[in-house]
Amino acid sequence: MANTTTPRIIDYYNSLRKKEDDPVFELCYDIYPEHQRDDVQDDAWRSKVISHLIIFGQLNPIVYHKVVRNDVTYYESLDGKQRSLAIKKLLDDEFRFVAQNENSDMLRECNRKYFSQWPVKYQTKFKTISIPVTLYDYEMDEDSKSLFFNNLQYTKKTKVGEVLNAYGN
């Protein structure tokens, strides 16, 4: 069974296992499981994710499954590691945010700045955005994880016209 929660970004961040070498801790979100690829996105991509969060206040769900090891219960990432890293790296001042546009005061005042340089009111606003986190309450075996990934990646190929029409005028 899966349940979706909506923690605030700061609460989600505080529950993340921050580094691959860090031990997991009770009820943490582990974004470094063996089956997940490394950090593959660049700062431009991360900035697009952050811009989307600021503009729309929304993010696609980040998905985990429950794992129990050595009497520690935690959640292992199934989908959303790169989005999670965008949030983590922003809050850790690991990249300078570059807004996709400057259509709001927040985007204008935070553009081309590290998070610690953002005005406090916008730091607070960003940290309190809620994001969806889907938690499977059981541990998936390798076959289930494989099926999960294969189904997640399955999409019907579209024609160029369909893609263009999706964007409208």
Side-chain angles (χ1 to χ4, degrees), residues 7-51:
R8 298 174 313 154
I9 285 175
I10 191 61
D11 298 325
Y12 178 72
Y13 170 83
N14 287 334
S15 295
L16 281 177
R17 178 177 162 213
K18 302 293 189 295
K19 296 179 185 167
E20 195 167 1
D21 295 337
D22 290 347
V24 294
F25 55 92
E26 190 69 21
L27 301 179
C28 77
Y29 298 119
D30 179 12
I31 56 175
Y32 300 104
E34 288 182 22
H35 62 264
Q36 285 278 355
R37 60 189 175 162
D38 292 332
D39 182 9
V40 297
Q41 300 298 346
D42 61 14
D43 293 347
W45 184 91
R46 290 183 193 93
S47 286
K48 287 179 183 177
V49 170
I50 301 307
S51 289

Side-chain angles (χ1 to χ4, degrees), residues 19 23 38-39 84 98 110 122-123 135-136 142 147 150 162:
K19 296 179 185 167
D38 292 332
D39 182 9
S84 296
V98 178
C110 299
Y122 294 131
Q123 288 181 24
L135 304 173
Y136 284 88
E142 293 305 314
L147 182 62
N150 288 335
E162 290 175 305

